[in-house]
Structures are given as C-alpha cells and as structure tokens.
Amino acid sequence: MPAQAHVEPPPVDSTSVFKDDIFKGKVLFCTGGGSGICKAMTEAVMRHGAHAAIVGRKLDRLQASANDLASATGNQCLAVQADVRNPKQLQEAVAKTIEKFGRIDFVICGAAGNFLAPISKLSENGFRTVIEIDTIGTYNTIKATLPHLRASKGSYIHVSATLHYKGTPYQVHVSAAKAAVDATSAVLAVEEGPHGVRSNVIAPGPIAGTEGMDRLSAKGPDAKNFAWATPLGRYGDVKDVANATVFLFSDAARYITGQVIPVDGGCEHLRTEPLPYPQSVLDPDAVAAMIKPRL
C-alpha cells in the first residue's frame, strides 16, 4: 500500500504561540487592511494589543471592517479613506492616525491589484494601474510614514508575491510590480537600519478564500486540472500570513531585516501554472472562459 502524503493541519491562532500583550501600546498603519490577507494581518496584530488604522478607497467597506476588527480584538481600529496612488491623501491618512493614536510603530504596505492577462492583450493602462497601486503605492506609503517609524524605531512589512521568481504567464504586470516592491524593501532596510527601522517582505503563495486566489485560479470544468501543487498538502490560510506578520513585527525578529519570506507551503519549488501551458499563450481566446472577468 503506497504511503499517504502528509496534509498540514490548519494553522493555529498566533495567540496560542505569542503572548497576548506583546504589541500593547503600539499602533499599526495598514494599506489594503479592509479585506482579505491584510485584514487578517491587521486582526492578528490587534489581538496582541495594538491599535490600528486601515486605509482604502471605499470608506463604507473600510468602516465595516474597522468595526469588525475592533469588536473581534477589543482594541481600536480607525478607518481612513485614501488612495495609495495619491501622496497627499496618504499624508492626510497618516496625519489622522497620529492625531488619533499619537504614533505609528508598524506599517503594512498591502494595497494591490491583479488580474489575469497575457502581454498581447494587456493594455498599457492596465499595466500602469498595477504598477501605480503596488509599487508607487508602496513608495508613497513609505514616504508618508517614515518620519514616524524613525521616531518609534518601527518596522515595515510589504505584501508581495512569488510570481516573479520565475516567468509566470499572464502575470507580467504584477511580476514587475512586486519585483520592484521587493527591491524597494531591500533598499529601505539598508538605508533605514541605521535609524533603527526594519523592513521585510511577506510573499504569500496560494491563499484559499481570498480575492487574489479567486482571480488567479482557473474557472470552469477543467479548473481542477490546473490547481497549484503544495508540498504540505493544502492551500494557505490567511492565518498563515497573519502568524508570519506577528513574528516579523515582534522582538523575536528584531535582527531580521531586508528579507523576503515566502508563505506558500513550498509550492514555489514545484511551480504549476493556473492555466494550461503553452495553449494559454498560443491561443489566449481558447482559455478566456477559464479567467474571471475584471471588475
């Protein structure tokens, strides 16, 4: 009888590993914190004592998430409307956070955009938009928050991806944007280390139940043939990324900076594609039904 493959059990809550109060008195500023992975990252940090400000473009959705986070953690969460592509709006968001909490200790640069498209069908505007949200948005967030992180000897986490480690079809826009984010974090770590500021990257792999996973997964009856292979036997959970976040912001990681930490169950080493290859690049129209339309 062949051996059965290991299936990694679901992740534990960070509060079962780390002390509840390790971030007491700290403040988190998170772009993209209103949903998905970044909301889970924010919740985990708040569960350990921090207050938070979450930033996004849609205030009603953001306020609902802030209420959820405050109710779940018992700590305060401020919803601040801003577009990361607009430096002035981000500066105003930071000012509101300082007015409310008096400091910023942690920053998560998590605002992002993505969709599937081959280069031949990707518009110049589509490419530019993802670069502006992911790369320029990260830079704008750094610029707006850096004086406060110097003051608090704080720490950045940038949410990236593993797509650019190899050539990933239909992902040129995000691959270019996230490669730039990784490079930006490395320079930030080198320049700001002497000021006491750390900067690291978390690169999630396929995380179940997220908008990103939904957008990048094949659709239709043949979708199961193009699932990502994971050595640990399951897709990731938002808690997996949240737990890495708590570690990297904690004093346990105080000598870790300038690093990229994939949280992907090892799937990058196997790298299966979400669409049939080479058919998807030879005839993009043939796989159109397997791609979620852009909103």
Side-chain angles (χ1 to χ4, degrees):
M1 182 177 180
Q4 295 296 309
H6 169 78
V7 176
E8 185 70 8
V12 298
D13 291 326
S14 61
T15 48
S16 69
V17 179
F18 295 91
K19 292 181 180 178
D20 290 348
D21 61 352
I22 57 173
F23 299 142
K24 185 176 181 179
K26 305 291 187 181
V27 176
L28 167 68
F29 184 90
C30 178
T31 64
S35 62
I37 289 173
C38 291
K39 183 179 179 181
M41 296 168 77
T42 299
E43 180 176 342
V45 175
M46 291 179 65
R47 284 188 181 278
H48 291 277
H51 300 308
I54 55 174
V55 180
R57 288 181 292 168
K58 298 179 180 179
L59 185 58
D60 54 346
R61 178 180 179 183
L62 206 63
Q63 187 60 63
S65 294
N67 293 341
D68 290 344
L69 289 166
S71 177
T73 65
N75 290 305
Q76 298 179 61
C77 187
L78 176 67
V80 188
Q81 186 176 24
D83 188 331
V84 297
R85 294 171 290 186
N86 187 314
K88 184 177 180 181
Q89 289 183 16
L90 266 178
Q91 292 161 10
E92 292 172 350
V94 168
K96 290 177 181 177
T97 303
I98 295 299
E99 181 182 5
K100 174 72 173 177
F101 298 120
R103 61 187 294 146
I104 297 174
D105 301 271
F106 308 130
V107 173
I108 295 173
C109 298
N114 199 358
F115 52 89
L116 288 169
I119 294 174
S120 61
K121 292 183 176 294
L122 176 64
S123 70
E124 293 84 351
N125 185 61
F127 184 89
R128 182 186 305 110
T129 297
V130 172
I131 294 291
E132 288 177 345
I133 295 172
D134 291 49
T135 305
I136 298 176
T138 292
Y139 179 78
N140 290 340
T141 303
I142 292 168
K143 288 286 287 184
T145 57
L146 187 55
H148 303 288
L149 262 69
R150 282 187 176 182
S152 64
K153 309 302 181 187
S155 180
Y156 289 90
I157 291 176
H158 313 275
V159 182
S160 187
T162 62
L163 300 165
H164 55 285
Y165 300 168
K166 302 182 178 74
T168 303
Y170 284 57
Q171 290 287 271
V172 66
H173 43 317
V174 179
S175 295
K178 294 305 191 184
V181 167
D182 291 3
T184 300
S185 177
V187 174
L188 183 63
V190 172
E191 289 190 355
E192 294 301 319
H195 294 283
V197 176
R198 295 188 298 114
S199 178
N200 291 290
V201 170
I202 290 178
I207 306 298
T210 62
E211 177 67 15
M213 182 69 163
D214 184 39
R215 286 189 173 278
L216 300 183
S217 298
K219 311 302 177 193
D222 295 326
K224 63 181 181 298
N225 297 326
F226 303 102
W228 281 277
T230 56
L232 291 181
R234 65 169 174 84
Y235 286 151
D237 187 277
V238 292
K239 288 184 180 179
D240 293 307
V241 184
N243 290 343
T245 302
V246 172
F247 168 67
L248 285 175
F249 279 152
S250 77
D251 285 345
R254 62 191 307 170
Y255 202 60
I256 299 175
T257 193
Q259 303 304 307
V260 177
I261 313 295
V263 180
D264 70 344
C267 73
E268 176 56 32
H269 295 291
L270 295 175
R271 178 51 75 92
T272 54
E273 303 300 341
L275 296 172
Y277 182 85
Q279 297 94 319
S280 59
V281 293
L282 292 172
D283 185 8
D285 292 337
V287 299
M290 301 180 72
I291 298 172
K292 181 175 181 177
R294 293 178 60 183
L295 297 177

